[in-house]
Amino acid sequence: QVQLVESGGGLVQPGGSLRLPCAASGSIFNSVTMRWYRQAPGKQREWVATITRAGITDYGGSVKGRFTISRDNAENTVYLQMNSLKPEDTAVYYCNSLPPYFSWGQGTQVTVSS
């Protein structure tokens, strides 16, 4: 059973940056495409960024050019570097595989506000 633990969230001013790590237990992590998702209050969960086993990346339109996804297979960790943050980026951020095979973690709250 793979467990996912997201962290690194917090309160940041518009234009600021955060780096979110997601640590996964279990070696299966290295075999799957991973994705960051987010869910804002009153909205459905949406995908943010994807990274394949080989490191090929893709981004949702609203974050392209501002966010960067990466992974460290040796550490079973996927990262989301978020720059130029906007108030509309406020959400709980989750990681999971694509499709989401694993149980969802608690997520990490990101709040962008002045």
Side-chain angles (χ1 to χ4, degrees), residues 10 12-18 20 37-41 43 46 48 60-64 66-67 80-93 108-113:
V12 62
Q13 292 188 342
S17 298
L18 283 174
L20 308 182
Y37 304 79
R38 68 185 181 186
Q39 187 166 18
K43 295 187 177 181
E46 64 174 349
V48 175
S62 63
V63 308
K64 196 171 293 185
R66 300 188 298 122
F67 290 11
L80 186 68
Q81 176 67 44
M82 306 187 296
N83 298 329
S84 302
L85 282 161
K86 303 176 181 180
E88 51 263 43
D89 295 318
T90 295
V92 180
Y93 285 71
T108 186
Q109 174 71 49
V110 172
T111 302
V112 185
S113 175

Side-chain angles (χ1 to χ4, degrees), residues 18-92:
L18 283 174
R19 188 186 192 214
L20 308 182
C22 169
S25 62
S27 58
I28 193 174
F29 169 87
N30 297 333
S31 303
V32 299
T33 292
M34 292 296 293
R35 176 171 271 190
W36 279 97
Y37 304 79
R38 68 185 181 186
Q39 187 166 18
K43 295 187 177 181
Q44 289 189 330
R45 189 171 292 171
E46 64 174 349
W47 77 278
V48 175
T50 304
I51 186 166
T52 69
R53 292 177 297 169
I56 297 170
T57 60
D58 193 16
Y59 298 91
S62 63
V63 308
K64 196 171 293 185
R66 300 188 298 122
F67 290 11
T68 302
I69 188 171
S70 61
R71 67 191 296 165
D72 183 337
N73 288 336
E75 295 294 328
N76 285 358
T77 302
V78 61
Y79 299 94
L80 186 68
Q81 176 67 44
M82 306 187 296
N83 298 329
S84 302
L85 282 161
K86 303 176 181 180
E88 51 263 43
D89 295 318
T90 295
V92 180

